[in-house]
Amino acid sequence: MNNRCNRWLRINPLHLVLSGAILCIFCFSWAFIASAAQMPEIQRRGYLIVAIKDNLRPLGFKNGNGDLQGLEIDLAKRLASDLLGKPDAVKLQPVANRHRLSVVFNQQVDLAIARVTATASRARLVSFSVPYYYDGAVIVTKDASVHQLSDLANQKIAVINNSSTVDQLRYYVPKAQLVGVDSYQQGRSLTENNTVVAFAADASVLSGWVQQYPQYRLLPTKLSTQPLCVVMPKGLQYDQLRREVNQAIAQYIAEGWLEERVKYWGLKL
């Protein structure tokens, strides 16, 4: 695999543990798992049903004409084309955050590509692909005097209450004053009216802010790394589907297609 692929796939011991959990943990209670479509059935049907986000720029959102676009939309369409041989062999189903796992678990869709972070607890219910993007906490600001983390010492930073980003900020910017908020909207409001000088949250969301509101910019340092993966059903009967999805994503990484799409959509590498 070339250097570009090696850079994309670089991981730390935490990622190794997580990957092991994702690939090796099987749910002990098979009776509670609904029977999603297996690959032969999907092939007979002629299209994939994929749960996506339609309100999360730049992963999945509607443009001015109401058409879905974004990194995850590109990935869903590419997977459908490569697995089924037709460029339009996919039905995209918008889904709320709280339903991203259940729609796969309960047989409503074949896959979910909807900004889902792979975790060991979630892997007890569903399977995850190899990561297609490494998300993580970043800091956004519109203050022209802030260029790096050290500039935030003794400054106020908004952060979502009880999120893992709180501990990351305490580690990287120990002298900052943290201001808890309950939502991204509240965080932007405090940043916009200069109550805080910056807001720390997920790169996949804040990248969209920068695109919509050019007065904002991301600081260069990622505070954490979290793998975003395709959600797939558990069970040996879905092995072909999981294998083909994983092989396809590995190919997209190796050939540079995913990295090009990440850059195209303005996401932080």
Side-chain angles (χ1 to χ4, degrees):
M1 196 171 287
N2 58 32
N3 290 335
R4 174 184 290 173
C5 185
N6 288 335
R7 289 198 307 272
W8 182 267
L9 289 174
R10 61 181 181 272
I11 53 178
N12 60 29
L14 176 59
H15 297 153
L16 292 175
V17 173
L18 180 58
S19 297
I22 292 169
L23 294 174
C24 298
I25 294 176
F26 286 91
C27 183
F28 62 86
S29 183
W30 299 104
F32 292 99
I33 296 180
S35 179
Q38 300 174 38
M39 196 62 201
E41 179 184 341
I42 293 171
Q43 291 169 333
R44 287 192 297 270
R45 180 207 298 154
Y47 58 88
L48 278 171
I49 305 172
V50 181
I52 50 86
K53 297 295 295 179
D54 66 351
N55 59 353
L56 186 61
R57 184 187 184 111
L59 295 181
F61 65 105
K62 292 180 180 179
N63 63 17
N65 297 322
D67 299 320
L68 286 166
Q69 59 181 19
L71 174 66
E72 293 181 334
I73 307 303
D74 288 350
L75 178 58
K77 291 180 177 179
R78 177 78 189 266
L79 282 172
S81 178
D82 289 347
L83 268 57
L84 297 173
K86 297 183 293 183
D88 58 347
V90 62
K91 289 190 175 181
L92 301 174
Q93 180 174 311
V95 64
N97 284 347
R98 64 184 179 277
H99 297 145
R100 291 174 297 174
L101 300 187
S102 64
V103 290
V104 176
F105 185 86
N106 293 326
Q107 195 183 347
Q108 296 171 277
V109 300
D110 302 312
L111 308 170
I113 311 177
R115 192 178 166 265
V116 179
T117 301
T119 65
S121 60
R122 289 172 172 174
R124 297 189 183 100
L125 300 175
V126 295
S127 290
F128 291 104
S129 72
V130 296
Y132 58 84
Y133 175 66
Y134 283 104
D135 202 359
V138 294
I139 296 174
V140 69
T141 185
K142 62 184 180 70
D143 191 316
S145 68
V146 176
H147 300 282
Q148 54 192 353
L149 295 182
S150 59
D151 295 331
L152 292 169
N154 303 312
Q155 301 274 23
K156 291 183 178 180
I157 306 175
V159 60
I160 293 178
N161 288 314
N162 302 315
S163 67
S164 59
T165 308
V166 173
D167 290 335
Q168 292 150 9
L169 285 172
R170 286 173 176 162
Y171 178 81
Y172 283 102
V173 198
K175 294 183 179 180
Q177 301 176 47
L178 304 188
V179 178
V181 297
D182 294 322
S183 66
Y184 279 87
Q185 183 178 1
Q186 186 181 0
R188 192 172 82 84
S189 176
L190 293 183
T191 310
E192 187 65 24
N193 64 26
N194 300 315
T195 300
V196 299
V197 299
F199 177 42
D202 291 334
S204 57
V205 178
L206 297 186
S207 294
W209 281 25
V210 173
Q211 295 171 21
Q212 290 180 285
Y213 310 106
Q215 68 269 33
Y216 289 96
R217 55 192 168 78
L218 299 179
L219 297 190
T221 303
K222 256 189 181 181
L223 307 181
S224 63
T225 304
Q226 301 167 333
L228 297 189
C229 303
V230 177
V231 182
M232 302 178 288
K234 294 187 74 70
L236 294 177
Q237 65 270 42
Y238 309 113
D239 182 66
Q240 181 184 355
L241 174 63
R242 292 195 299 268
R243 184 174 62 252
E244 293 194 19
V245 168
N246 278 320
Q247 288 174 345
I249 294 175
Q251 176 188 336
Y252 305 156
I253 294 170
E255 68 186 21
W257 179 82
L258 261 174
E259 185 174 353
E260 183 276 327
R261 289 287 84 194
V262 166
K263 290 180 178 178
Y264 176 86
W265 290 111
L267 285 158
K268 194 173 184 64
L269 286 171

